[in-house]
Amino acid sequence: MPLVRPLWAALMDLAAERDCGGCGLPQPSGDPLCPDCDGLLAESGPWRTLAAVPGTPRTHAVARYEDPVRTMLIGYKERGRTDLRRVLGRALARAVAQTLEAGEMAGEARPRVAPGAPPWAPGMPGTPVALVPMPSRRKAVRDRGQDTTARLAGTAARALREVGVPVRAVSALRHVRSVEDQAGLSREERSANLSGALRVRRAAAAALAGSTVVLVDDISTSGASLAEAARALRAARAQVAGAATIAAARVRM
């Protein structure tokens, strides 16, 4: 029954649109976030995150994984708040922009910025950009009725195209074996759990050729997932500039 969850999610959006998806305050305007929570995503960061796992690519996030951002992400992924996708996707775009800017080659002239672009917009890079979302487990996609991370990547790509960045979202990665839920695992356990678990889809290899790749996810924790994704992409000869997430959790060592 593939249509049951999306229809339920849409009905939940109608019922929940009066409350802010972050702090829960009533929103007579119907906007998904109150001005304070919206400002948190639009104005904080981006900043470089700290990773505990070797091999984690340079990663930027716009906020800590704590309330109200934590509530926003849980609401979007687990509670059907699809109305939050646009604001979360645009926050992800800001983190991508910072990763692209940080990855510029030393001494290279700063690329031209599109007229009227917001302050966070990166210069237009010399090569196309591919946003590669972390792959979701099949069970999670079934339970949620959609691949929430891939949808965020698509929204971030659209926001970046609006300011002149030649970018598209490419779902290039797939799981080649089952993995355990990462919650509660130590740094070493996370690395072992994910080692060799990802591979680039054969059909996506051509789409990545000649592009600057930025990995995207909703949350970064130890960096184990991003490190494994970067390994798989580099094994397929993709040029990985870094990673971008909406939030970063405090790392459990």
Side-chain angles (χ1 to χ4, degrees):
M1 301 176 64
L3 294 179
V4 172
R5 171 70 180 186
L7 177 58
W8 177 86
L11 292 174
M12 283 297 294
D13 284 349
L14 291 175
E17 66 181 4
R18 301 174 193 162
D19 295 335
C20 171
C23 65
L25 290 176
Q27 282 294 94
S29 65
D31 292 334
L33 295 176
C34 70
D36 287 344
C37 289
D38 184 68
L40 181 61
L41 291 179
E43 299 169 11
S44 62
W47 44 273
R48 186 168 178 178
T49 69
L50 298 177
V53 174
T56 303
R58 178 193 294 110
T59 306
H60 290 85
V62 298
R64 293 280 187 191
Y65 185 58
E66 54 193 28
D67 288 334
V69 175
R70 177 179 177 274
T71 300
M72 296 177 203
L73 291 171
I74 292 174
Y76 167 64
K77 294 195 302 181
E78 310 294 348
R79 298 174 182 168
R81 286 295 301 262
T82 56
D83 58 326
L84 292 169
R85 183 187 303 134
R86 185 172 183 272
V87 290
L88 292 172
R90 295 184 75 84
L92 181 59
R94 295 181 61 234
V96 171
Q98 186 63 38
T99 294
L100 289 172
E101 184 173 324
E104 289 178 4
M105 295 177 59
E108 180 180 343
R110 182 174 175 80
R112 178 171 60 89
V113 177
W120 56 263
M124 289 183 280
T127 58
V129 177
L131 302 188
V132 175
M134 288 297 302
S136 299
R137 292 181 300 166
R138 291 182 180 179
K139 182 179 185 304
V141 174
R142 288 197 303 269
D143 290 346
R144 296 167 182 167
Q146 61 178 330
D147 188 328
T148 55
T149 307
R151 292 288 184 91
L152 283 176
T155 302
R158 285 191 293 275
L160 288 163
R161 285 196 297 270
E162 290 173 4
V163 297
V165 181
V167 58
R168 59 175 172 163
V170 182
S171 294
L173 294 168
R174 66 182 180 91
H175 287 95
V176 293
R177 63 171 178 79
S178 60
V179 297
E180 301 296 327
D181 192 318
Q182 295 279 83
L185 299 182
S186 69
R187 176 181 63 183
E188 291 77 13
E189 290 169 339
R190 286 170 182 260
S191 294
N193 182 43
L194 290 164
S195 180
L198 299 179
R199 185 175 299 169
V200 171
R201 299 178 188 274
R202 185 175 302 176
L208 300 179
S211 296
T212 297
V213 175
V214 178
L215 280 161
V216 294
D217 204 355
D218 57 339
I219 309 164
S220 61
T221 51
S222 68
S225 298
L226 294 173
E228 168 59 17
R231 181 208 61 77
L233 286 162
R234 288 170 179 146
R237 300 186 178 182
Q239 300 298 313
V240 181
T245 66
I246 296 166
R250 298 184 185 278
V251 176
R252 176 189 174 188
M253 303 299 288

